[in-house]
Amino acid sequence: MYLAKVIGKVVSVLKHPAYQDRTLLLVQPLSLRSELVRTPTIAVDYVGAGEGDTVIVGAGPGVAQEVFGIENAPMRELIMGIVDHFDVEFLEETKWHE
């Protein structure tokens, strides 16, 4: 699981049957300092997220199969929650090297 920012919606005329009636969103992974990192990816929305939302993304084999009950779901990443707020307490940089 990781945090991500929703940066757009993906529209497709032709879809695999597993994607019918599902919203696909473009998400950009976030660091714990809320900085955009890595390459954006497409995730299946399960919670009604929208552009600009910070979300929890579950990635891995079987996640979508478990949630949607689809036997052969070609889904890798799934938006599983919308984050209202999160706090991370960082140690001083010098403490990391002790």
Side-chain angles (χ1 to χ4, degrees), residues 48-96:
E51 192 167 342
D53 284 343
T54 300
V55 295
I56 299 171
V57 179
V63 173
Q65 288 175 304
E66 188 69 31
V67 172
F68 294 123
I70 301 170
E71 185 63 34
N72 293 315
M75 301 174 185
R76 181 166 180 255
E77 310 217 349
L78 178 68
I79 297 173
M80 302 171 69
I82 300 172
V83 177
D84 291 325
H85 178 81
F86 70 94
D87 289 318
V88 178
E89 189 174 315
F90 291 99
L91 299 174
E92 293 179 33
E93 295 297 324
T94 55
K95 290 183 180 179
W96 287 100

Side-chain angles (χ1 to χ4, degrees), residues 40-51:
T41 188
I42 297 172
V44 180
D45 183 28
Y46 184 64
V47 295
E51 192 167 342

Side-chain angles (χ1 to χ4, degrees), residues 27-44:
V27 296
Q28 175 96 43
L30 292 174
S31 71
L32 292 179
R33 296 182 190 269
S34 294
E35 300 162 336
L36 298 175
V37 295
R38 297 193 339 230
T39 305
T41 188
I42 297 172
V44 180

